[in-house]
Amino acid sequence: MKTEEPPHVTAYRTYLLVWVGLVILTGLTYTVAVGLQAEGWAVFVALAIAGTKSGLVLNYFMHLKSERLTIFKIIIPLVMAVFLVFILLTFSDLAFRGGVK
Amino acid sequence: MTSTGATENLRPRISFYQDHHGILSWIFTLDHKRIGLLYLIFVIAFFFSGVVLGFLMRLQMLAPGNIMKPQEYNSLFTLHGIIMIFLVVIPAIPTVFGNFFLPIQIGARDVAFPRINLLSWWLYITGAAIVALSVFTGEGPPDTGWTFYAPYSLRTTVNVPLAVFGVFILGMSSILTGINLVTTTHRLRAPGLTWKRLPLFVWAIYATSWVQILATPVIGVTMVLIFLERFFGVGVFDPTKGGDPILYQHMFWIYSHPATYIMILPAMGIVSDVVPVFARKKIFGYTAIALSGMAIAAVGSLVWGHHMFVSGQSDFANLLFSLLTFLVAVPSAIKVFNWVATLHKGSVVIEPPLLFCLAFIFLFSIGGLTGLIQGALAPNVHLHDTYWIPGHFHYIIFGGMGFGLFAAFHYWFPKMFGRMYNRKMAIWAWAIMLIGFNIFYFSMLLLGWEGMPRRYYDYLPQFRTLHLTATFGSWILIAGLILMFGNLFRGLFKGEKAEDNPWNGVTLEWQIPSPPPTENFEQIPVIRHGPYDFKELEKNE
Amino acid sequence: MSETKESVFEEIKDYTGAKLGMWLFILAELLLFGGMFILYSAYRYKSPADFHQASKELDVILGTLNTIILLTSSLSVAACISAIQKGQRKLSMYLLTVTMALGLLFLVNKGFEWGTKIEHGIYPNSPALLARTKGEILFFGLYYVMTGLHGLHVLVGVCVLFVMLILIAKDRIDRMHFTPLENSGLYWHLVDIIWIFLYPLFYLIT
């Protein structure tokens, strides 16, 4: 029905660079974890790094960056928002069982 | 089968029924219309079995004393819930009418993924079979309520694993349907059919499909966890291993509350399509109705904790969820207002589809208002787990979704089957159902108000009058149902041949033959106006 | 529009539509695991010390190695698709095989990890585990369920990729018709992304 041009071919080099970035970030998260042994907020650093790695996979390996249609641009933010809402509202219960101080 | 060119106009199109024959051509079909009908047959069959279970429940509750063991009663209401919710109310409109009419309404020949559509149906049948298996094997059907609350669901020796596995499979079916209909709406619209020209039924199914995709996985994983808990003792919901049963309720309701919007949004979509046709007037506030559906889907996903006000959830969560619950009433109210405004000063034509929609508006409003009462924290303490709650949700689900479904039956019957039912009988059936319904479920609201607990197999003498009334009401309701289905069934075989557009609708399904040919359209139409532009239709006559 | 080659599925006329469908399926999968991440957060919030303690018993080296393995497999499957688009059929088949091999290697490592734990008596409902603190019981419960479900997805992914390999071999997937391959790649990356989160949450708890 709709005729389309063939999709853009990503260069091997791009993929390789992304992979290098991913490996570096993996090393980073390992180092940070070992270094921040006792910090409560360290989990958020780990999540931020994991989020960045996922961003690289989504945008480059999964080609989200080169998608033009609106629907592709909103689906990942959408699922993140949904998840965030689920977890925050659940924690509105879990974190306040003893009452609001 | 397919041919092109001038010869088409000279001989009548064969309908999708005549295209292929034999049972295999049905159960392995890729035609969205046939798949819709396959769903229809089973949805109706499961609905009847759910009604029978409900009938038996009301028989037990007719008077104090027992005609069955308590365990049997518990299994009855559990199965009634599982069947009605997972096999009837959640799937019904999207899989029957969404499948049949969404592609036609957007000018397409089929859905985006016809084979996935067939797979969805097969998963539906498989899930149903597994649930049926749980009834007739092992130690018998589950007795946990359709909500499967932990830790009881982890301990009770009856067939919980089979039942929850069945629910998991049904969830997969639902997710695939959602994926199919979202992609279809995005990709297969006819030229000129912008989002703002979509019929509101399509908007409603679209919003519903998003909820199906995003919320169903959560119950999927929850059912898997119940299964794993029982077989491997994992511990996530088991207090003896540190698990939190309230967390189970969160996980369960994160899906099951949005599920109620999967149930109601499509029915609202039907009302939005039907009312303009029988008011001969453009819908009032098209954009508001379209977007309020999306808003209901969104905000409705934030309110699940209102099922848990007395569970031990934190006060802070209680406040938040109560506030959000009040907010979600707003987009629903917008719809009701707009439907009524459409009727106002319209040239109203009284026909069965419209009557069912009017009943919807009335019953849904009562259900919605009772929802506000129980959504407030203080009343909820008294009303939770009383008959008020099933009173409320039957008004919404049965009065709302159910009557919306019946409206769809009566609206689209001529298109699907090429015949017309007896209108007078339909109106009688409608009236009887409406009376029976209100006697039945209003009594429930009163019972709950008086303190009668739900899911109890017996009761104190002070409740007997209302229970008696409720049971009588249920019998009147069932009589109405039998009359309605009997009339429709009779119309299938003995009804008058129907015209292509008996209601003078503008949406695309009324511009093709009744019943439609397999490929829906000879040529994909080019759309130049909105779906409720009656003046356009009159111009072409 | 006439086609000289058939793909194994009838001609996929709407490449974007097929891709959209796959992405929507990925959203559903993300929320499936998301549900378990909610449970994980709840219980870690409740017993942070227990989680820290239990996490020390996991093999960080093996976990990190598995992470690199999956990341590399994502690289190879992505490159595989570029290869097929460039008409480099043999290279794409080679890269696909590498991806599957890495996936299987991941599973073998996981098998060793689980095997060691089970040998030491740490598995759901084991007497040794039940003797521990509630937080630790929950940690291992979640560990087995989440990595188990993830492993199942890896296995399914390997099978799907194997089917793709056959299709390329039979020329039913080629530079003009590779939508199934691309969608399979998307699925594989999803599996990688889930592990990207599982790794720090189970192996690197501070």
Side-chain angles (χ1 to χ4, degrees):
Chain A
M1 191 208 89
K2 297 182 182 167
T3 47
E4 313 179 36
E5 321 116 36
H8 159 73
V9 184
T10 312
Y12 295 124
R13 187 187 141 77
T14 311
Y15 287 144
L16 207 55
L17 283 176
V18 169
W19 177 82
V20 169
L22 287 169
V23 173
I24 291 175
L25 285 169
T26 306
L28 181 65
T29 199
Y30 175 86
T31 319
V32 162
V34 168
L36 289 178
Q37 269 301 315
E39 310 287 349
W41 46 265
V43 68
F44 294 106
V45 175
L47 286 174
I49 296 176
T52 312
K53 288 164 80 178
S54 303
L56 286 174
V57 173
L58 285 163
N59 280 313
Y60 293 100
F61 286 165
M62 298 170 87
H63 311 126
L64 261 191
K65 196 152 193 280
S66 47
E67 294 290 351
R68 291 285 151 252
L69 293 177
T70 315
I71 182 69
F72 288 107
K73 295 195 204 191
I74 65 165
I75 47 180
I76 291 298
L78 177 65
V79 81
M80 279 167 54
V82 169
F83 177 73
L84 208 62
V85 147
F86 287 168
I87 203 170
L88 285 178
L89 283 174
T90 305
F91 267 82
S92 77
D93 169 27
L94 299 174
F96 294 98
R97 288 271 173 90
V100 184
K101 299 283 184 281
Chain B
M1 185 216 91
T2 48
S3 55
T4 54
T7 47
E8 284 296 81
N9 301 319
L10 296 181
R11 53 183 166 79
R13 303 281 318 122
I14 57 170
S15 78
F16 73 96
Y17 294 104
Q18 297 160 303
D19 229 347
H20 302 284
H21 294 281
I23 191 160
L24 291 180
S25 78
W26 279 86
I27 63 174
F28 290 111
T29 184
L30 294 179
D31 180 352
H32 65 103
K33 300 181 288 299
R34 287 191 172 205
I35 293 177
L37 290 179
L38 286 173
Y39 271 109
L40 180 64
I41 295 167
F42 285 91
V43 161
I44 293 181
F46 295 138
F47 176 66
F48 279 142
S49 56
V51 169
V52 167
L53 294 171
F55 173 77
L56 292 171
M57 285 163 68
R58 283 319 309 168
L59 214 53
Q60 162 72 2
M61 302 306 273
L62 173 63
N66 301 319
I67 57 166
M68 62 180 70
K69 301 197 202 66
Q71 177 69 25
E72 289 167 343
Y73 186 74
N74 291 357
S75 298
L76 275 183
F77 68 67
T78 302
L79 280 172
H80 174 80
I82 294 176
I83 290 174
M84 286 303 204
I85 293 192
F86 292 113
L87 293 175
V88 181
V89 184
I90 288 177
I93 299 178
T95 63
V96 176
F97 297 107
N99 265 328
F100 200 110
F101 287 104
L102 187 141
I104 298 177
Q105 285 195 332
I106 64 171
R109 298 205 185 281
D110 209 307
V111 293
F113 308 117
R115 269 168 311 205
I116 301 278
N117 206 5
L118 183 65
L119 177 64
S120 287
W121 182 76
W122 274 103
L123 287 172
Y124 173 73
I125 297 302
T126 308
I130 294 174
V131 168
L133 214 57
S134 80
V135 178
F136 298 112
T137 61
E139 287 199 32
D143 57 355
T144 54
W146 74 277
T147 44
F148 300 114
Y149 274 14
Y152 183 62
S153 59
L154 304 176
R155 310 257 187 271
T156 178
T157 54
V158 293
N159 265 327
V160 167
L162 263 181
V164 299
F165 182 56
V167 170
F168 175 76
I169 299 290
L170 291 168
M172 281 179 65
S173 169
S174 188
I175 292 173
L176 290 177
T177 301
I179 291 176
N180 221 336
L181 294 176
V182 167
T183 311
T184 306
T185 312
H186 273 271
R187 301 297 299 167
L188 298 182
R189 281 169 290 130
L193 190 53
T194 58
W195 286 90
K196 290 197 175 168
R197 287 177 175 165
L198 284 175
L200 288 168
F201 177 66
V202 176
W203 269 106
I205 296 288
Y206 180 73
T208 304
S209 301
W210 274 110
V211 183
Q212 284 178 286
I213 297 171
L214 296 173
T216 315
V218 180
I219 199 175
V221 78
T222 309
M223 294 295 103
V224 166
L225 286 167
I226 294 283
F227 196 84
L228 292 175
E229 289 265 312
R230 286 184 68 108
F231 282 120
F232 299 108
V234 175
V236 282
F237 299 128
D238 189 343
T240 62
K241 295 176 187 154
D244 184 353
I246 300 181
L247 211 44
Y248 170 85
Q249 292 187 33
H250 277 296
M251 298 285 285
F252 180 82
W253 288 110
I254 284 179
Y255 165 73
S256 300
H257 191 82
T260 67
Y261 298 106
I262 296 176
M263 300 175 204
I264 200 68
L265 280 173
M268 289 173 159
I270 288 167
V271 176
S272 299
D273 257 18
V274 169
V275 164
V277 171
F278 295 92
R280 310 304 305 158
K281 196 169 153 247
K282 215 151 118 175
I283 191 93
F284 181 91
Y286 172 92
T287 310
I289 298 195
L291 294 182
S292 63
M294 304 293 286
I296 290 174
V299 182
S301 305
L302 311 181
V303 302
W304 76 82
H306 66 219
H307 298 268
M308 299 163 58
F309 285 149
V310 297
S311 64
Q313 186 173 245
S314 81
D315 288 341
F316 179 53
N318 279 351
L319 280 169
L320 255 186
F321 281 118
S322 180
L323 175 66
L324 289 164
T325 303
F326 272 72
L327 282 181
V328 79
V330 173
S332 302
I334 289 177
K335 285 185 191 279
V336 172
F337 179 80
N338 284 15
W339 293 323
V340 173
T342 307
L343 289 164
H344 176 64
K345 291 207 177 155
S347 312
V348 176
V349 181
I350 298 293
E351 292 279 9
L354 182 66
L355 288 173
F356 280 103
C357 288
L358 292 178
F360 173 104
I361 295 173
F362 174 62
L363 299 171
F364 173 76
S365 298
I366 295 181
L369 290 171
T370 56
L372 286 178
I373 296 176
Q374 69 199 45
L377 293 175
N380 189 280
V381 173
H382 299 278
L383 296 172
H384 182 78
D385 270 347
T386 67
Y387 260 66
W388 174 275
I389 305 292
H392 155 78
F393 69 63
H394 280 92
Y395 264 95
I396 297 263
I397 300 184
F398 196 167
M401 184 272 165
F403 276 69
L405 179 67
F406 301 158
F409 284 159
H410 289 83
Y411 180 54
W412 277 320
F413 186 95
K415 179 56 56 183
M416 290 162 82
F417 303 113
R419 289 183 184 273
M420 188 54 89
Y421 46 83
N422 184 312
R423 267 122 127 170
K424 229 179 173 178
M425 286 291 241
I427 295 179
W428 272 108
W430 167 85
I432 294 172
M433 283 198 286
L434 196 54
I435 293 170
F437 182 98
N438 281 297
I439 296 175
F440 183 7
Y441 294 112
F442 205 81
S443 304
M444 271 198 183
L445 289 173
L446 293 174
L447 273 168
W449 194 258
E450 296 291 316
M452 166 77 203
R454 65 183 288 209
R455 292 178 170 171
Y456 271 38
Y457 69 95
D458 202 352
Y459 51 84
L460 298 171
Q462 70 212 59
F463 296 118
R464 67 182 306 157
T465 316
L466 281 170
H467 270 295
L468 200 63
T469 319
T471 304
F472 281 146
S474 78
W475 292 346
I476 299 174
L477 176 59
I478 290 179
L481 281 170
I482 293 173
L483 189 61
M484 182 186 79
F485 279 108
N487 183 28
L488 291 172
F489 196 66
R490 194 165 170 278
L492 266 183
F493 301 105
K494 300 237 172 88
E496 276 176 35
K497 260 198 174 319
E499 320 145 28
D500 290 350
N501 195 354
W503 315 121
N504 283 309
V506 179
T507 44
L508 284 174
E509 75 271 31
W510 302 111
Q511 319 311 325
I512 62 175
S514 300
T518 302
E519 69 276 11
N520 298 340
F521 303 93
E522 279 178 35
Q523 271 181 325
I524 301 295
V526 177
I527 311 301
R528 297 200 168 85
H529 56 78
Y532 309 113
D533 219 330
F534 294 102
K535 298 206 186 64
E536 274 299 320
L537 188 69
E538 268 134 44
K539 257 194 247 160
N540 296 335
E541 274 166 2
Chain C
M1 190 166 78
S2 62
E3 293 300 327
T4 49
K5 287 225 188 89
E6 267 178 19
S7 48
V8 63
F9 312 109
E10 70 216 13
E11 178 64 43
I12 295 178
K13 296 184 178 73
D14 185 8
Y15 157 79
T16 303
K19 196 168 37 157
L20 177 59
M22 188 67 215
W23 269 106
L24 292 174
F25 179 70
I26 285 173
L27 295 190
E29 288 272 39
L30 284 171
L31 280 157
L32 187 89
F33 280 92
M36 283 192 285
F37 279 114
I38 295 178
L39 286 175
Y40 170 94
S41 325
Y43 290 129
R44 177 164 169 177
Y45 173 80
K46 204 162 149 194
S47 327
D50 286 348
F51 268 53
H52 172 64
Q53 194 56 36
S55 164
K56 285 201 226 163
E57 296 183 41
L58 293 182
D59 189 336
V60 180
I61 304 298
L62 211 49
T64 313
L65 183 65
N66 259 355
T67 308
I68 304 292
I69 287 173
L70 273 189
L71 292 174
T72 313
S73 71
S74 263
L75 169 65
S76 56
V77 77
C80 160
I81 294 169
S82 280
I84 204 89
Q85 285 179 288
K86 296 184 192 198
Q88 295 167 326
R89 185 172 164 278
K90 281 228 152 56
L91 178 61
S92 77
M93 287 174 72
Y94 172 73
L95 288 167
L96 201 48
T97 311
V98 166
T99 311
M100 290 189 294
L102 289 171
L104 288 173
L105 186 57
F106 177 92
L107 288 174
V108 164
N109 284 339
K110 210 72 331 323
F112 278 129
E113 268 189 287
W114 277 33
T116 336
K117 283 272 155 305
I118 293 172
E119 256 175 49
H120 289 144
I122 304 295
Y123 52 88
N125 235 6
S126 73
L129 184 58
L130 292 179
R132 299 214 191 183
T133 64
K134 299 279 194 300
E136 288 177 80
I137 298 174
L138 287 169
F139 175 86
F140 283 108
L142 286 167
Y143 167 75
Y144 276 108
V145 172
M146 292 177 80
T147 62
L149 212 59
H150 175 259
L152 189 62
H153 281 76
V154 173
L155 186 60
V156 167
V158 171
C159 295
V160 169
L161 291 176
F162 182 65
V163 172
M164 294 302 123
L165 185 65
I166 310 241
L167 293 179
I168 300 179
K170 291 189 165 180
D171 281 323
R172 290 187 45 226
I173 288 182
D174 59 30
R175 73 187 302 170
M176 294 313 297
H177 315 100
F178 59 92
T179 310
L181 179 65
E182 176 152 7
N183 284 346
S184 306
L186 287 179
Y187 179 82
W188 190 260
H189 294 305
L190 164 73
V191 165
D192 186 19
I193 289 177
I194 294 167
W195 184 260
I196 284 175
F197 281 94
L198 285 179
Y199 165 63
L201 292 178
F202 279 104
Y203 294 86
L204 301 179
I205 300 184
T206 55

